């Protein structure tokens, strides 16, 4: 019989008598839970560096008791093997065999080899004089999905707090397009999708910026304007392990109220022998019809005390999305508040066709309750991505007690999105109501709202838009880590840099035509038809009717740099007066962050700078046109039976950007935020028994001191009436400090039954866009809108309790309940007055001296509450009957309830935007030595996407996606796989307030890939 062990349990080593340098006695630094022998030895191997070999047939796999932290390796082994009928023997200083205890072992057989007089360790007596290991079996090291689940369960079990992990095999064996999609299978984690691609991660329903993300203990730089991380720039192939830490310890970096996502890349000494992995894949999108390549490799080796590893991944993705969208509510104040006939005609039509009498056309409390469609647009998106990522690791590890590691991670993410719109803007500034064909005064009667379902307008703005977004992101990270373990002391330290630069180049070629139209809701979106009134036209097939308005460009550059240094010191303790205290830890961290943003925009209206000769003269027909089915791959528009002609973005870029064109940066949009953080912590680890129940706990406190300096240009009005900006950036400082206590407790109530509890105070720093000290001015409204560097963090006081049952072969049943009380949420508010501001007329004359109101982001008063329940079931079904061997399920369910409301200005209370009350994942799998198959379904319930005009909640419908992975191992080293994403071709959809008012209908298709992987 052969037995497969964890990768960390070494291959059988030949007994040697060669002397080696004396080393300190290795110590079990973490508590080890009660579990099967192979898992316990795996945990002990990771902590001490010892290698274990034994005959699985002779020794079996008995259940071992829990052991506390702080024990020497011999003491830990003695407790592990107590009552099992087994004993351990040192073959040399780092290799231990486990065997049947036929006789009572002598002290020499259970002691670490003592140092000989010449300084070299002598082998234990039995290792020298007794018989060597007899008939030890070959230990096979293989990777499988079920084994990765066992490893993840092992990580969860040995962690005193609440956490969930995925490991390399789990990530690689699912058809994920990026790291975000891999993380959606973790309990309590949902993702945000954009056009069929996972982009951002939500932990426990809270917004993505509530989660702290780190790679190799470095907080991750991002190309976004905030703190949230764009996960779509990370290829899943270059990652080794991801842990979602849901209950923090004092040693964890602060910054995540929802939790922390800790990403680890591979290192050479994690492999016990030379490793080479090569993979290639081709993926087909059902709408675009394109086949995209993906390649990856990893190479690792060790030679003596040194080890090296490199990995590289590159992928191309061509995805087409067809959609209708933009069909949100628009308040009737748009028309009723207009002067002249636009307002009076709107009121008259409402009274004539809907019986709605408007008492006061300027009273928005009344007119905001009458709504119509804002815009109906048919859109085709073509998203092309080129992504690459590479890691390198160099390790020096002369012993099991010391290592020095250099890690590097580089990446590039280039994405070009072409968007082609045929849209009708019902709320045109030239238009008003002509005829109301259908209205609805019942569906939203509880809110006193009347919805105009089917309306003809006098002068709808029809638009043909060719939009191009070119994003280029470069990511880099470098770090050095030191790890030293002595008999009583250990130190680990890290210093590193993380940086990202992102450039977004956007353009929009805009042609418009004003004409009467009829716009209405349909069963799943909306449509615009020619009006029965005169001068109506076919908006899809009349290019000569569309006049050139502008070729609009914007340019944004974000530069994000983060430096960090950290040191952690651990002291093992054996105190007679306090035996429960096994370890104390303390440390410090310093981070220096800087984010700079530049932004500008320009409109081209003619063949040269300052020329406007094309406006309202050049038509859409004056440019070479192509049918949509020809501009983008994949053929006809799939949402409706439509096709239309537009200008390709490739032609627009060449034809409309004149020689010497450049989008200038706007000083008013510039900001830079510098943030320096010093953190200190102290934490104690305890292990004790309450009766017969072993308990492990940690408790500590983290002190955080943050200093912020923000720069931005402020607008000024010149004496001639023109506006400008300050010559140099205006700066402002902010600071805050706090104590963040935390405690985690785990108790083994019975064999494999763990009770966990945690409590902590956590924080999330304000978004950089909120603390950026930039100012916008409204000279007519006498109002300044500023950033606020003095913003304080958002805090959460949270606790959680859970029960987990661990069974054999990695099986797990778990449930937990958590609560978060959140205060200091950032809102916009009135903060003061700037007195005596001079305001000038356009001709330079003085208009007057006024006091300007100042509005800034502020921390709201009051607390909000989030409650949740998580359920986890991971079951290899072979534990129930041999005929089910190889089958298994992995499922989780999260239910949330929140008083955190996205309340509209109309008083319509909703859940917090982005928070889905119910999410669940279910995976069924089968595998044997050659074949594996997995079917996974991920479901996210409906949620509020945004609040339209701060009044009308816009919902995203519930979404479920079926993914499949099938693999066959042709040889021991070569595997072929077939994977599918969104096999049932699910549609993304949404609505405003009620499903009968749909806002979007979006199809991104299914994706099928065929791949080949070789492991050597």
């Amino acid at each position: 019989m052969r037995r497969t062990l964890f990768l960390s349990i070494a291959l059988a080593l030949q007994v040697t008598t060669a002397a080696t340098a004396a080393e300190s006695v290795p110590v079990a630094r973490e508590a080890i839970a009660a579990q099967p022998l192979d898992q316990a030895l795996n945990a002990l191997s990771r902590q001490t560096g010892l290698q274990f070999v034994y005959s699985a047939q002779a020794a079996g796999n008995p259940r071992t008791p829990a052991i506390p932290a702080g024990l020497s390796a011999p003491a830990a082994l003695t407790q592990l093997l107590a009552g099992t009928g087994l004993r351990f023997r040192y073959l040399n200083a780092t290799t231990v065999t486990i065997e049947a205890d036929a006789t009572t072992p002598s002290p020499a057989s259970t002691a670490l080899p003592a140092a000989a007089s010449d300084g070299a360790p002598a082998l234990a007596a039995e290792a020298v004089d007794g018989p060597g290991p007899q008939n030890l079996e070959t230990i096979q090291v293989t990777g499988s999905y079920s084994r990765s689940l066992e490893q993840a369960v092992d990580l969860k079990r040995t962690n005193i707090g609440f956490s969930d992990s995925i490991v390399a095999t789990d990530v690689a064996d699912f058809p994920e397009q990026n790291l975000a999609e891999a993380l959606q299978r973790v309990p309590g984690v949902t993702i945000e999708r954009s056009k069929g691609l996972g982009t951002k991660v939500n932990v426990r329903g809270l917004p993505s910026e509530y989660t702290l993300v780190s790679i190799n203990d470095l907080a991750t730089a991002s190309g976004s304007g905030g703190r949230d991380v764009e996960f779509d720039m990370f290829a899943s192939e270059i990652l080794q392990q991801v842990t979602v830490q849901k209950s923090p310890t004092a040693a964890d970096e602060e910054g995540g109220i929802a939790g922390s996502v800790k990403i680890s890349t591979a290192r050479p000494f994690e492999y016990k022998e030379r490793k080479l992995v090569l993979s290639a894949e081709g993926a087909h999108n059902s709408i675009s019809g394109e086949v995209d390549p993906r390649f990856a490799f990893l190479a690792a080796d060790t030679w003596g005390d040194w080890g090296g590893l490199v990995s590289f991944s590159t992928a191309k993705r061509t995805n087409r999305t067809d959609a209708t969208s933009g069909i949100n509510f628009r308040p009737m104040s748009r028309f009723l508040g207009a002067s002249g006939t636009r307002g009076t005609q709107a009121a008259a039509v409402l009274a004539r066709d809907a019986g709605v009498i408007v008492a006061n056309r300027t009273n928005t409390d009344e007119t905001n309750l009458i709504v119509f469609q804002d815009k109906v647009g048919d859109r085709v998106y073509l998203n092309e991505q080129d992504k690459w990522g590479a890691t390198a690791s160099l390790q020096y590890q002369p012993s099991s007690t010391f290592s020095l590691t250099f890690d590097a991670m580089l990446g590039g993410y280039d994405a070009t999105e072409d968007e082609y719109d045929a849209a009708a803007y019902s709320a045109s500034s030239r238009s008003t109501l002509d005829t109301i064909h259908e209205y609805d005064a019942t569906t939203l009667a509880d809110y006193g709202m009347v919805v105009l379902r089917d309306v003809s307008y006098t002068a709808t703005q029809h638009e043909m838009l060719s939009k191009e977004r070119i994003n280029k992101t470069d990511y880099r990270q470098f770090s050095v880590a030191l790890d030293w373990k002595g008999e009583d002391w250990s130190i680990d330290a890290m210093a590193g840099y993380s940086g990202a630069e992102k450039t977004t180049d956007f353009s929009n070629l805009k042609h418009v035509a004003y004409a009467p139209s009829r716009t209405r809701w349909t069963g799943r979106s909306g449509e615009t038809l020619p009006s029965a009134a005169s001068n109506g036209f076919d908006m899809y097939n009349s290019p000569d009717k569309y006049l050139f308005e502008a070729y609009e460009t914007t340019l944004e550059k974000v530069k994000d740099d983060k430096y960090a240094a950290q040191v952690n010191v651990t002291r093992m303790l054996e105190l007679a007066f306090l035996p429960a205290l096994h370890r104390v830890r303390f440390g410090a961290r310093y981070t220096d962050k800087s984010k700079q943003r530049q932004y500008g925009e320009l409109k081209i209206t003619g063949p040269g700078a300052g020329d406007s000769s094309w406006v309202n003269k050049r038509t859409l027909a004056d440019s070479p046109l192509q049918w949509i089915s020809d501009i983008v791959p994949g053929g006809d528009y799939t949402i409706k039976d439509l096709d239309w002609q537009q200008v390709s973005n490739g032609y627009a870029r060449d034809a409309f950007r004149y020689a010497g064109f450049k989008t200038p940066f706007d000083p008013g949009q510039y900001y830079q935020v510098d943030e320096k953080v010093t953190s200190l912590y102290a934490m104690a680890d305890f292990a004790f028994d309450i009766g017969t129940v072993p308990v492990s706990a940690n408790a500590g406190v983290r002190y955080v001191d943050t200093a912020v300096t923000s720069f931005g240009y402020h607008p000024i009005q010149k004496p001639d009436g023109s506006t400008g900006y300050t010559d140099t950036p205006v700066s402002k400082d902010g600071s805050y400090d706090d104590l963040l206590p935390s405690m985690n407790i785990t108790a083994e109530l019975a064999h494999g039954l763990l009770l966990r509890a945690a409590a902590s105070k956590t924080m999330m720093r304000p978004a950089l866009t909120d603390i950026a000290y930039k100012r916008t001015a409204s000279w007519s409204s006498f109002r300044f809108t500023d950033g606020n560097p003095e913003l304080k963090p958002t805090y959460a006081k949270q606790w959680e309790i859970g029960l987990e049952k661990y069974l054999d072969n990695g099986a797990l049943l778990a449930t937990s309940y958590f609560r978060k009380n959140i205060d200091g949420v950032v809102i916009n508010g009135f903060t003061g007055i700037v007195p005596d501001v001079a305001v000038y007329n356009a001709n330079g004359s003085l208009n007057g001296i006024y006091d300007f109101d100042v509005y800034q982001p502020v921390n709201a008063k009051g607390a909000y509450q989030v409650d949740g329940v998580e359920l986890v079931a991971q079951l290899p079904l072979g534990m129930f009957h041999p005929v089910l061997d190889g089958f298994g399920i992995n499922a989780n369910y999260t239910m949330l309830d929140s008083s955190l409301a996205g309340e509209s200005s109309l008083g319509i209370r909703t859940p917090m935007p982005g928070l889905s009350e119910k999410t669940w994942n279910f995976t069924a799998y089968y595998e044997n030595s050659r074949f594996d198959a997995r079917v996974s379904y991920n479901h996210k319930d409906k949620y509020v996407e945004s609040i339209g005009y701060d009044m009308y909640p816009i919902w995203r419908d519930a979404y479920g996606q079926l993914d499949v992975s099938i693999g066959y191992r042709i040889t021991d080293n070569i595997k072929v796989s077939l994977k599918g994403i969104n096999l049932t071709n699910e549609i993304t959809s949404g609505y405003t307030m009620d499903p009968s008012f749909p806002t979007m209908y979006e199809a991104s298709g299914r994706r099928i890939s065929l791949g080949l992987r070789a492991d050597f």
Side-chain angles (χ1 to χ4, degrees):
M1 166 183 169
R2 295 179 180 269
R3 181 161 186 89
T4 303
L5 300 181
F6 285 140
L7 295 178
S8 60
I9 299 181
L11 297 175
L13 298 178
Q14 187 176 13
V15 178
T16 177
T17 58
T20 59
E23 296 183 301
S24 301
V25 178
V27 174
R29 294 169 283 114
E30 305 279 352
I32 297 177
Q35 55 195 300
L37 176 62
D38 61 350
Q39 298 181 27
L41 291 178
N42 174 69
L44 188 60
S45 175
R46 286 200 306 266
Q47 295 186 42
T48 63
L50 293 176
Q51 300 171 341
F52 299 101
V53 293
Y54 68 97
S55 167
Q57 184 173 8
N61 197 30
R63 193 79 180 180
T64 60
I67 66 169
L71 296 181
S72 66
L77 282 167
T78 299
Q79 289 196 24
L80 277 178
L81 301 180
T84 64
L86 301 172
R87 67 175 180 178
F88 66 93
R89 252 186 332 114
Y90 275 84
L91 302 179
N92 56 39
T94 59
T95 308
V96 180
T97 185
I98 308 298
E99 58 193 14
D101 188 8
T103 60
T104 303
S106 65
S109 68
T110 58
L112 185 72
S117 58
D118 61 358
L123 294 177
E126 284 193 8
V128 177
D129 302 325
Q134 300 294 316
N135 301 319
L136 285 178
E137 299 184 36
T138 301
I139 301 174
Q140 294 177 327
V141 181
T142 63
S144 68
Y145 175 65
S146 61
R147 178 57 68 185
S148 74
L149 294 180
E150 289 186 38
Q151 288 180 286
V153 167
D154 184 51
L155 291 170
K156 180 180 180 70
R157 185 172 188 170
T158 56
N159 189 356
I160 295 179
F162 290 88
S163 68
D164 290 281
S165 300
I166 53 176
V167 295
T169 304
D170 190 358
V171 174
D173 276 353
F174 271 108
E176 319 297 3
Q177 300 177 93
N178 56 40
L179 179 58
E181 297 191 359
L183 283 171
Q184 70 180 318
R185 310 193 191 282
V186 176
V189 174
T190 56
I191 65 173
E192 298 177 17
R193 295 180 186 273
S194 177
K195 304 175 186 67
L197 180 70
T199 54
K200 295 182 179 180
V201 168
N202 307 112
V203 176
R204 289 182 162 171
L206 295 171
S208 57
E209 59 266 24
Y210 280 43
T211 300
L212 177 72
V213 181
S214 64
I215 299 179
N216 296 334
D217 291 327
L218 273 173
T220 307
S222 170
S224 71
R227 295 184 187 271
D228 53 325
V229 172
E230 298 171 316
F231 280 87
D232 50 352
M233 70 180 181
F234 296 121
S236 56
E237 293 91 344
I238 64 175
L239 306 174
Q240 180 73 8
Q241 177 183 307
V242 182
T243 295
V244 179
Q245 186 75 32
K246 299 172 181 176
S247 63
T249 70
D252 293 321
E253 184 179 4
E254 72 288 343
I257 285 180
S260 299
V261 176
K262 301 180 177 181
I263 303 169
S264 301
T265 58
R267 289 174 171 174
F269 278 99
E270 292 172 355
Y271 301 96
K272 297 302 180 182
E273 58 185 359
R274 180 178 299 166
K275 187 74 171 177
L276 178 63
V277 180
L278 302 169
S279 68
E281 178 184 280
H284 175 269
N285 176 260
S286 63
I287 298 182
S288 71
E290 297 291 295
V291 176
D292 299 325
R294 180 162 69 171
F295 302 98
F297 82 87
L298 179 147
D301 198 6
T302 59
W303 52 95
D305 299 337
W306 292 87
L309 178 148
V310 292
S311 73
F312 180 81
S313 172
T314 180
K316 181 179 175 60
R317 183 179 184 270
T318 306
N319 190 59
R320 175 175 158 181
T321 298
D322 293 357
T324 60
S325 58
I327 320 165
N328 300 323
F329 284 0
R330 186 69 181 256
M332 188 51 67
S333 55
R334 172 67 172 173
F335 292 148
L336 291 173
S339 59
T341 59
R342 290 182 64 225
T344 57
Q345 180 170 329
V349 172
L350 280 167
R352 182 194 70 196
D353 295 342
V356 176
I357 307 300
V358 179
N360 183 354
R361 291 195 291 113
T362 62
N363 180 11
T364 55
D365 290 340
E366 180 181 6
T367 59
N368 286 344
L369 298 179
I370 309 169
V371 298
F372 65 102
Q373 286 183 348
D374 189 5
K375 179 187 286 188
V376 175
D378 294 294
R379 296 176 167 88
V380 174
Y381 301 89
L382 180 67
N383 188 285
E384 297 178 292
Q385 299 176 2
D386 285 297
K387 175 166 50 180
W388 68 273
T391 67
S393 182
L394 180 65
Q395 275 186 295
Y396 174 62
Q397 188 170 302
S399 70
S400 62
T401 61
F402 180 83
S403 68
L404 185 65
T405 306
F406 170 77
D407 291 308
M409 183 175 176
L410 302 173
Y413 179 67
D414 296 342
T416 298
E417 182 178 83
D418 294 307
E419 176 185 346
Y420 298 99
D421 294 4
Y425 183 40
S426 308
S428 160
S429 60
R430 300 184 185 182
S431 187
T432 190
L433 303 182
D434 178 81
T435 304
I436 300 172
H437 304 283
E438 182 183 357
Y439 68 93
D440 184 342
T442 58
T443 302
L444 301 178
D446 290 345
Y447 304 105
M449 296 177 64
V450 176
V451 184
L452 308 185
R453 284 189 174 272
D454 185 350
V455 180
S456 288
Y457 302 91
T458 60
T460 295
Q461 179 178 312
H462 300 82
E463 302 173 341
M464 285 291 178
L465 310 176
S466 298
K467 299 180 180 179
E468 182 183 44
R469 299 175 182 87
I470 300 176
N471 296 320
K472 293 183 178 293
T473 302
D474 292 314
Y475 176 84
R476 59 211 175 275
Q477 176 172 310
F478 308 98
S479 63
V480 177
L482 178 146
D483 193 2
W484 172 80
K485 302 176 184 67
E487 182 174 356
D488 297 319
W489 293 88
S490 64
I491 298 174
D492 64 85
M494 180 276 300
Y497 163 79
S498 175
E501 293 185 10
K502 180 177 180 179
T503 301
T504 301
D505 185 352
F506 170 77
S507 62
N508 177 22
L509 175 61
K510 187 174 183 180
H511 289 83
V512 300
Y514 292 91
S517 75
R518 179 178 179 179
T519 301
R520 62 190 180 188
W521 269 280
T522 63
R524 61 189 187 188
S525 56
E527 65 178 357
T528 299
L529 307 172
S531 173
S534 61
N535 297 320
F537 75 106
D538 181 353
M539 63 174 285
Y540 298 97
N541 295 292
S542 304
D544 58 315
K545 301 289 187 182
Y546 287 87
L547 296 176
F548 174 89
E549 183 173 285
Y551 180 78
E552 303 169 337
T553 69
T554 65
L555 184 65
E556 181 184 43
K557 287 188 177 182
V558 176
K559 189 173 185 292
D560 190 0
D561 295 297
K562 300 183 180 181
Y563 298 87
Q566 176 175 301
V567 61
N568 303 299
V569 179
T570 301
R571 175 70 162 95
M572 311 304 300
L573 298 173
E574 294 183 13
L575 303 176
F577 66 91
L578 188 57
L581 179 60
H582 283 263
R583 179 173 63 174
V584 293
R585 286 183 276 178
F586 49 91
R589 185 182 183 96
Y590 177 78
T591 60
D592 188 339
K593 307 176 185 178
S594 178
K595 180 165 286 194
Q596 182 186 92
R597 186 243 195 183
Q598 295 174 286
Y599 177 88
E601 58 187 35
L602 185 69
K603 288 185 178 181
I604 296 175
T605 54
D611 191 332
S612 59
S613 59
W614 287 341
V615 177
N616 293 327
K617 295 178 182 178
R618 183 183 177 110
T619 71
L620 182 64
D622 291 331
S623 296
L625 302 178
Q626 292 178 269
W627 293 100
I628 287 294
S629 54
D630 295 327
I631 292 181
V632 296
D636 293 343
Y637 182 57
T638 59
I639 303 299
K640 300 176 182 178
D641 185 18
L642 288 174
D643 204 357
W644 66 92
Q645 290 183 309
Q646 283 194 225
V647 180
S648 73
N649 283 317
Y651 172 83
R653 174 172 283 270
D654 293 338
F656 292 96
R657 298 197 177 200
Y658 48 79
F661 162 81
K662 182 179 181 182
T663 302
F665 287 126
D666 178 5
Q669 299 293 332
Y670 168 87
Y671 69 76
Q672 179 175 327
V673 178
D674 296 333
E675 183 179 80
K676 295 178 173 58
V677 180
T678 301
S679 303
L680 306 172
Y681 79 90
M683 185 170 70
D685 293 289
F686 301 88
F688 53 89
D689 293 337
I690 299 178
T692 59
V693 175
V695 178
S696 299
N698 62 53
V701 64
R702 188 174 186 89
Y703 170 75
V704 180
D705 181 82
T706 304
V708 174
T709 300
S710 181
F711 305 83
Y713 291 92
H714 282 199
I716 57 174
Q717 196 173 33
K718 301 175 182 178
D720 63 359
S722 64
T723 57
Y725 295 94
T726 54
D727 293 333
T728 58
V730 179
S731 67
K732 191 171 184 179
D733 297 332
S735 64
Y736 51 87
D737 61 349
D738 211 333
L739 292 175
L740 305 175
S742 62
M743 180 175 63
N744 296 273
I745 301 174
T746 299
E748 186 163 13
L749 304 179
H751 180 67
L753 182 64
L754 270 62
L755 175 69
R756 293 191 196 272
S760 62
K761 179 181 179 182
T762 61
M763 61 176 281
M764 179 200 72
R765 293 187 171 86
L768 296 174
T769 50
D770 288 333
I771 61 177
Y773 197 50
K774 58 187 180 68
R775 166 174 288 180
T776 58
S778 175
W779 304 106
S780 60
S781 300
F782 314 123
R783 175 172 173 167
F784 291 138
T785 302
D786 292 357
N788 186 3
E790 296 179 337
L791 270 178
K792 303 303 185 228
T794 299
Y795 292 98
K797 295 179 180 178
Q798 58 188 28
W799 60 270
E800 183 169 2
I801 188 167
L803 199 62
E804 301 165 1
K805 177 61 177 177
Y806 292 86
L807 305 170
D808 292 336
N809 300 320
L812 167 66
L813 296 172
T815 180
S816 65
Y817 171 82
F818 61 87
R819 171 173 291 181
K820 297 176 184 286
N821 289 303
I822 301 173
D823 61 69
V825 173
V826 176
I827 62 173
N828 286 313
F830 172 73
T831 59
I833 293 175
V834 177
D836 302 331
V837 178
V839 177
Y840 297 90
N841 297 314
N843 61 7
S845 62
L846 180 66
N847 178 283
I849 305 296
Y850 300 93
D851 292 344
F852 272 52
D853 294 335
V854 178
Y855 285 80
Q856 291 176 285
V858 296
N859 297 104
K861 296 180 180 179
Y864 305 89
Q865 184 173 299
V866 177
D867 296 85
V869 173
E870 285 182 1
L871 304 174
V872 179
Q874 183 172 305
L875 298 171
L877 299 182
M879 63 188 294
F880 299 110
H881 195 281
V883 74
L884 298 176
D885 191 38
F887 289 94
I889 61 172
N890 180 21
N892 59 75
Y893 175 86
T894 303
M895 180 173 61
L896 299 173
D897 183 32
S898 172
S899 65
L900 236 160
E903 185 172 348
S904 76
S905 60
L906 297 178
I908 303 171
R909 293 183 61 81
T910 68
M912 183 179 186
L915 188 149
S916 179
E917 293 184 354
K918 298 176 183 178
T919 60
W920 54 273
N921 300 281
F922 180 86
T923 298
Y925 65 89
Y926 171 77
E927 61 184 18
N928 57 34
S929 59
R930 292 292 182 190
F931 176 80
D932 61 78
R934 278 167 294 290
V935 178
S936 181
Y937 189 81
N938 172 266
H939 177 87
K940 182 176 182 179
D941 209 0
K942 67 177 184 178
Y943 63 93
V944 173
E945 185 175 22
S946 61
I947 308 293
Y949 295 97
D950 294 325
M951 291 186 282
Y952 315 115
I954 301 172
W955 290 81
R956 182 73 68 91
D957 280 316
Y959 181 87
Q961 181 170 299
L962 181 69
D963 302 331
V964 173
S965 174
I966 300 172
Y968 180 75
R969 191 168 291 277
I970 301 173
T971 69
D972 289 344
N973 304 107
I974 299 176
K975 179 181 178 180
V976 63
S977 62
L978 179 66
K979 302 177 182 181
I981 295 177
N982 191 23
L983 281 187
T984 54
N985 200 21
E986 295 298 319
I987 299 296
T988 301
S989 58
Y991 59 89
T992 302
M993 297 186 66
D994 186 88
S996 64
F997 307 117
T999 60
M1000 65 174 300
Y1001 189 86
E1002 183 177 282
S1004 295
R1006 61 177 62 88
R1007 190 171 179 85
I1008 306 296
S1009 65
L1010 181 66
L1012 190 69
R1013 178 185 175 98
D1015 295 80
F1016 301 99

